[in-house]
Amino acid sequence: MTNNQVLAKSAQSVQDALATKGLTCRVVELSESTRTAQDAAKAIGCDVRQIVKSLVFKTRMSLRPVLILASGPNRVNEQLIESLVGEKIIKADADFTREVTGFAIGGIPPIGHKQLIDLTFIDEDLLKFEEIWAAAGTPNAVFALKGKDLVEMTQGNVINIQ
C-alpha cells in the first residue's frame, strides 16, 4: 500500500465523509486495482469475504435507489430484496449509479453519496470479521473499518442477502 499525501478528488470526498461521521478510518490509494472484490482482496492481502461490495439497484416502478453492501463472494438474492422493499428491483446502470452516488461503478463507497439512499441493506456475513474493507471513491482507493461502523455510518438493515 502506498501512503499518498494527496488523495484523488473522489477518494478525498470519501475521507471527508468519514471525518464528518466522526470515524478515524483512513482512505488509502493502492497501486493495484481494487475494482472487483477479488482484485481488492489480492491488493490488500485479506480474505475476499472481508471486502464490502457496494451494489446499486433501483426499484422498477418508483426508481428509488437500493444499496446492498455485500461480502465479496456473496450473491444477492434479488427476490428477497424485492420482498423487503415491496417492489421489483433491477441492477442500476452506470449513469443512474453515478447520478445517485456521485461515483463510478468499481469505486462506490458505502457513504458519501450525492443522494440519501434510505434503502440500504448490509450482508450479515460482513459482521463476522474484525476488519472489513470498502471502496473509497476510485477503482484503487479503499478504507478499513469495523462491521459495527458500517452499520452506524449507513443506517443499513443487516440481513442475510443470499
Side-chain angles (χ1 to χ4, degrees):
M1 291 188 212
T2 60
N3 186 8
N4 294 349
Q5 297 297 327
V6 179
L7 294 171
K9 184 179 176 186
S10 291
Q12 185 62 53
S13 73
V14 174
Q15 185 68 73
D16 294 345
L18 289 165
T20 299
K21 295 274 186 185
L23 296 166
T24 57
C25 305
R26 187 172 63 87
V27 171
V28 292
E29 291 183 297
L30 307 175
S31 55
E32 303 91 356
S33 171
T34 57
R35 186 172 179 80
T36 69
Q38 291 77 16
D39 289 347
K42 183 179 174 197
I44 294 164
C46 69
D47 189 304
V48 70
R49 296 175 298 162
Q50 291 175 267
I51 301 299
V52 180
K53 293 189 300 192
S54 297
L55 306 171
V56 180
F57 291 80
K58 66 179 171 182
T59 55
R60 189 179 299 267
M61 298 301 292
S62 60
L63 305 179
R64 291 175 64 198
V66 178
L67 178 63
I68 301 172
L69 303 171
S71 175
N74 292 355
R75 297 200 39 90
V76 175
N77 177 337
E78 293 180 28
Q79 290 75 30
L80 170 68
I81 303 301
E82 289 169 352
S83 72
L84 295 171
V85 300
E87 66 178 287
K88 295 261 187 220
I89 62 170
I90 55 175
K91 188 87 166 139
D93 64 18
D95 290 340
F96 181 85
T97 299
R98 186 180 282 280
E99 179 184 320
V100 169
T101 68
F103 301 98
I105 294 171
I108 302 167
I111 64 164
H113 306 136
K114 281 172 57 175
Q115 296 179 21
L116 174 67
I117 303 176
D118 60 349
L119 295 174
T120 298
F121 300 94
I122 301 168
D123 185 346
E124 66 186 7
D125 286 352
L126 290 168
L127 305 185
K128 296 176 181 175
F129 297 95
E130 178 63 28
E131 181 178 71
I132 55 178
W133 291 83
T138 75
N140 68 329
V142 293
F143 66 96
L145 70 158
K146 296 183 181 334
K148 69 176 182 64
D149 291 335
L150 184 64
V151 175
E152 287 179 27
M153 76 171 65
T154 64
Q155 297 298 302
N157 296 304
V158 178
I159 63 168
N160 177 346
I161 65 158
Q162 299 190 79

